[in-house]
Each structure stands twice: as structure tokens, then as C-alpha cells.
Amino acid sequence: MRRLLRTLLVVALVVFVVFAAAGWYFSEELRRDALETTPSEDEPTVEVLGIDEGRITLAQGDPEDNELAAPGTFGLSWDGGYGRVTGVRELEGDEVVRRFSEFEQGRPETGTLTDVDPTTFPGNPMRALGIPFEEVTYETPLGPMDAWLVSGTGRTWMVMVHGKGASRSEGMRMLSSTNDLGWPTLMITYRNDPGQPPDPSGWYRYGETEWQDLEGAVRFAIDEGAQRVVLVGLSAGAAVSLSFLYESDLADRVVGAVFDAPNIDFLQTIEFGASQRNLPIPFFDIGLPASLTAVATWISAWRFDLDWQALDYTARADELDVPILVFHGEADTTVPVEESQELADARPDLVRLVVVEGAEHVQSWNAIPQRYGDVVSRFLRGLRRS
């Protein structure tokens, strides 16, 4: 019996040590992938194999570059130029032929390495869409932050909040669909963006603190004459927007919101990502067990001061009182579509969910640009009449 007890204790100790070490390892992965604020620089990996009038042949260098063969509209950038690819004409192995149109600086030469860009519209509103804008700043608890202001008429303003690690350009697809309304539009930065003040924690906080920056942007809009505000939140920008709606004294100025691939339950997003990972064991294809993910998220909560419950914004959906239009790609491998479905189920009286077949993360516009724009325009015009 003693020998059995000793054996069980040794096994338990070994299991504890293994799980603790593995949990710490994956908490480091979480820190690097989800909390670290240092922007990553992606190198172009898609080689141009041939180009002629209206067609381009591309070779996929990165097998995880899902956009290369995805249906829909995407930007194509290379050193010194930018173009646009649309429908897939041919697909064989790692080669794809797509329709190609020039945007600026002509066409890339054969052998050029390019990058498929889901934002589709490069740079600022003037460069991307020919829309005049102003560079403005607005005040936040951390100091002034930058924004692009597209002028318009009326007292309803749109305030666009990009996702984690993205830039203001992420909202350009939405702007291409909404600018015809003529509403003033504020495309904001917030803490931890390049050139903006960092969060005191040193990490992305997924709405827990960033809502205060959005509050500063809404206050700027009000000071400039806005009476009503519509929020646009992309990915983690939706978490920032919901946190603002729950916490800010200015939330009563908001009359509606549009979310795209909303990352509004951070723990569920982490668990979804972990479900797609394997243990780092050579020659073995073994997925992460849920028990190990639970250990890693517990360690992460302790190490990085994460309150998983507070970062589940659907849990407070009963506090919402404005209509919300949500797009989510059915093929999203970053934020599970279930997060949007749970929000819609929690408030069917306020939330309309549009699931877009085959669309990846924040790529619903890319898959169905015309329909996307039509749905958004009808929703926003309905807010104006209400």
C-alpha cells in the first residue's frame, strides 16, 4: 500500500510539474500573440508568376495565407505599388490566377513578392478612396490621440474603432460603403497604437481600458456638433465599443452600432485558438487538451491581471439598448462565429447577425462587398428615421 501511495504521489507530482511547465509555456504564447503591443512586420511571400491585361498568376509561399485563393476582393501590395485582385479564375496546386486591376504605380513584374491585403484600400481616405479628410487629435486620460476626420453634414457622426494590432485603414472598407450617407466620420487610434500613448499595463486590454479613449473620441464629436453617434467596431474594436456602452456617461449619445467579426469574449477566443494548436512535440500531431488550455489561461490571468469574466461582453447584453448590426465570417479562424451568435441570441430584439459563408476574420466585406454595403446602408438609414 505504501509503495502504491508513493507511486501515485510521484505520478501526481510529475503530472503537476508537466502541466505547470506546459501551462507557463502556453501563457507565454498567449502573451506574445494576444497581449504584446509591439507591431509585427509581415514580409511579402506571394510571388508573381505572370501578369497580363486583367489577369495575374500568383504562387503561394505561405500555406497559411488564406486570402490568396479566397473568393472576393482583396488588395495586393508590393514594394512601391498597390493593386487589387478579385475573382479566382483558375486554381491549381499552389498557383492561382485572379482578375487584377491597377490601383497605383502600375503592375508588378514577374518574380516580385507581394502581400495579399484584406483592408483592400491602402493608406488614408484621400489615397484610398479620394475622400478629403483632416488629421485631428482628441483628448484621453493618457493624453492626445490621433484620428482622421471625414467631414459631412448632419448631427449624426460615425466613430470607427479598428481591431487589435490593426490601423485606422481597417475601417476603409466600411467607409467605402457609408460615405454616400454624408455623415461626419471619425476614424480613431487608441492606446498602444504606433505613435500613441501605451496602456499603463503594457498590454492590450480588449476594451477594459481602451473604452476611455473611445469616450474621448465621442466627446470630441459632441464638441464639434454631434448629437447622435453610431459606433463601428472591428474585431477587438467591438469589445472597446461594448465596454464604452456599458461604462461611459456618454453612452446615451449612441443610437446604433455596426460590428464586424466582434472579439467580445476574450477567453472563448483564446480557447478557440488553442483548439487549433498542437503540442510542441516533434513527429506527433497531438492537439492541446482542454485541461492544459485551462491551466494556461489560469496562469495567464494571474501573470497578466486578466479578468476573463469582465472580458465577456455578452454577459452584460441585458444592459444594451441600441440596435446592433453584426457581420461575421463563417470561416473565421481567429474569432469563432459563436461569439456573434451568442450576442444575437442574448438580444434578438436588438442584434441582427449576418453570417457570411466562406469569409475569414474581418473579411465579410471582401466576400460580398456590394451586399455588405447595401445591408449597412439600409441599417444606418433606418437609424436616421428612428
Side-chain angles (χ1 to χ4, degrees), residues 209-221:
T209 58
E210 294 92 344
W211 72 266
Q212 299 171 71
D213 306 334
L214 176 54
E215 183 178 65
V218 171
R219 183 172 289 109
F220 173 92

Side-chain angles (χ1 to χ4, degrees), residues 141-173:
L142 299 181
M145 296 191 186
D146 299 326
W148 292 330
L149 172 59
V150 176
S151 298
T153 58
R155 297 299 181 90
T156 301
W157 282 46
M158 300 188 69
V159 179
M160 295 188 179
V161 190
H162 65 74
K164 170 254 177 187
S167 70
R168 289 173 283 182
S169 294
E170 189 176 42
M172 217 66 71
R173 288 165 292 179

